[in-house]
Amino acid sequence: MYKLIDGKGIASQIKEEIRNDVSLIRQSGARAPRLAAILVGSDGASETYVAHKVKACSEVGIESTLLRFPDTIGEERLLAEIGRLNIDKDVDGFIVQLPLPPHISEDAVVSAVSPDKDVDGFHPENVGRMVLGMPSFISATPFGILELLKRYDISVSGKRCVVIGRSNIVGRPLSILLSKKGVDATVTLLHSRSDNLKGIASEADILIAAIGSPSFVTSDMVKEGAVVIDVGTTRVKSDTTKSGWRLAGDVDFESVAPLCSYITPVPGGVGPMTIVSLLMNTVEAARRLTGQIAGSSV
Ligand code: GUN
C-alpha cells in the first residue's frame, strides 16, 4: 500500500517554525521581514499563486506588498519598479510572478532583480552559485521538493532519480541539486525530445514529473515501489467544482499510486511546499540584510 506524502501538513509544520523565526527576528529589535510581489496582468493562475503567497506571509508574520500592473506596462517601466525595490530598505526580498506578457523579456527582468533580494532564486548569479554549491537562494519548488523528501526520511543518496521536464524553474535546478555532493542521487533529466522516455522513467527509484501535462505519467512508466513526486498544477475544466476548474497533476494518480511506495497528491503535495520555501527564503533575506546569521538554504 502506498503512502501519501502530505505536503500540506509538512508545510503547516514549517510555517510554525517560520513564525518562530520571525518572532526571534522581531525580538532582536528588527522590523518584521517584508516580501514584495509584482504581478503583471490578470492571468488566473498567477493571481491565485500570488494570493496564496500573500496569505502565507500574513500567517507567519511576514509583511507583504503586492504591486499590480496592467499587461500593457512597458519593459522599461517594469525594470524601473524593480530598480526601486532593489534599493527599498523596507523590502527584504521580492518576486516578479512569471509568466510575463510576450513584449517583456523575462531574462531582462530576472537579471534586473538584485541577487540579495532574489528570493525566487532565478537571478543568473544565484543559479550559478547554486550550480557551484555555494550559498544562494534556491528556487522555491526544487527547494520544497528536497525538503519534503528530507522530512519523510526518503533517502535519495545513490538512488536513480529521473526528472521529467527541463524548465528553468523546476526540472533543471532540481536535477542539479539532486546530484550535488551530500545529496548524491544519480540523476537523469528527461524532456520532450528524449528517446525511450517510458523505458528510462520506469527505471527510476524516485520519479519527479514537472512537465505541466495532465496525467502524462501512466502506470507503464513507473517501477514497483518507486517514489513519485508530481509537480504538475494545470487548471482543467471541472463540472464538480464551484470555480469550474480543478488542478490536475502530471501523474495519472489512480493507475500510478498502487505501484508506489510514496506519492504526492495534487493538490496538497508539492504546491504548499513551494509557498513555504519562498517564506524561508524571505526570512533568510531579512537575516542577511539585518546582519544576522547568513548561510546556505540547501
Ligand atoms: N510562476 C510559476 N512559478 C513561479 C515561481 O515560483 N515564482 C515566480 N515568480 N513565478 C512563477
Side-chain angles (χ1 to χ4, degrees):
M1 186 59 188
Y2 66 87
K3 292 199 183 83
L4 209 55
I5 297 181
D6 178 14
K8 199 170 167 203
I10 298 286
S12 295
Q13 280 174 25
I14 297 176
K15 274 192 206 160
E16 195 58 50
E17 294 164 18
I18 298 172
R19 202 174 297 129
N20 282 333
D21 289 346
V22 171
S23 293
L24 289 174
I25 289 174
R26 302 217 55 186
Q27 278 165 30
S28 76
R31 60 163 174 74
R34 179 178 290 276
L35 173 75
I38 293 181
L39 177 60
V40 177
S42 53
D43 171 71
S46 291
E47 291 263 3
T48 309
Y49 292 144
V50 170
H52 280 143
K53 290 170 185 177
V54 166
K55 178 165 171 273
C57 282
S58 75
E59 287 168 0
V60 300
I62 296 176
E63 307 278 351
S64 65
T65 310
L66 174 56
L67 299 164
R68 308 185 63 119
F69 300 100
D71 58 11
T72 50
I73 188 175
E75 185 175 300
E76 295 259 306
R77 173 76 210 291
L78 186 57
L79 293 177
E81 280 300 326
I82 291 170
R84 200 182 56 70
L85 288 173
N86 282 341
I87 55 169
D88 186 337
K89 293 236 168 0
D90 290 327
V91 172
D92 299 297
F94 67 98
I95 63 164
V96 182
Q97 188 66 26
L98 304 177
L100 290 167
H103 65 277
I104 298 177
S105 158
E106 286 189 357
D107 285 350
V109 164
V110 160
S111 303
V113 175
S114 161
D116 293 333
K117 294 193 176 188
D118 170 39
V119 285
D120 257 334
F122 292 169
H123 188 282
E125 184 176 315
N126 279 317
V127 176
R129 293 178 68 92
M130 182 271 294
V131 171
L132 295 170
M134 294 162 70
S136 68
F137 290 116
I138 309 278
S139 61
T141 305
F143 188 17
I145 292 169
L146 290 182
E147 193 64 28
L148 208 48
L149 293 170
K150 214 185 278 176
R151 295 202 182 217
Y152 267 82
D153 260 335
I154 298 171
S155 168
V156 298
S157 175
K159 297 281 164 52
R160 177 165 290 203
C161 288
V162 174
V163 180
I164 314 180
R166 55 180 159 182
S167 71
N168 287 343
I169 294 183
V170 186
R172 205 185 297 273
L174 185 59
S175 68
I176 291 161
L177 291 168
L178 283 167
S179 64
K180 249 180 72 163
K181 226 180 179 32
V183 182
D184 299 324
T186 303
V187 183
T188 305
L189 183 60
L190 294 174
H191 49 76
S192 53
R193 298 291 168 95
S194 295
D195 282 340
N196 190 24
L197 187 140
K198 273 188 189 181
I200 296 168
S202 61
E203 288 181 357
D205 301 310
I206 297 162
L207 181 63
I208 298 161
I211 30 190
S213 177
S215 298
F216 181 89
V217 174
T218 45
S219 57
D220 53 342
M221 295 184 201
V222 178
K223 183 170 81 170
E224 182 101 39
V227 175
V228 172
I229 306 291
D230 188 349
V231 186
T233 50
T234 309
R235 286 181 169 205
V236 295
K237 277 211 170 87
S238 167
D239 297 331
T240 56
T241 57
K242 232 175 20 185
S243 60
W245 56 266
R246 68 178 174 85
L247 282 184
D250 288 348
V251 176
D252 181 36
F253 189 92
E254 296 270 294
S255 71
V256 169
L259 292 168
C260 298
S261 54
Y262 290 92
I263 185 167
T264 59
V266 174
V270 173
M273 292 301 293
T274 296
I275 306 248
V276 293
S277 302
L278 177 66
L279 302 180
M280 288 197 268
N281 279 348
T282 304
V283 169
E284 174 70 19
R287 282 192 179 130
R288 288 191 201 173
L289 288 178
T290 55
Q292 299 184 27
I293 322 154
S296 165
S297 303
V298 170

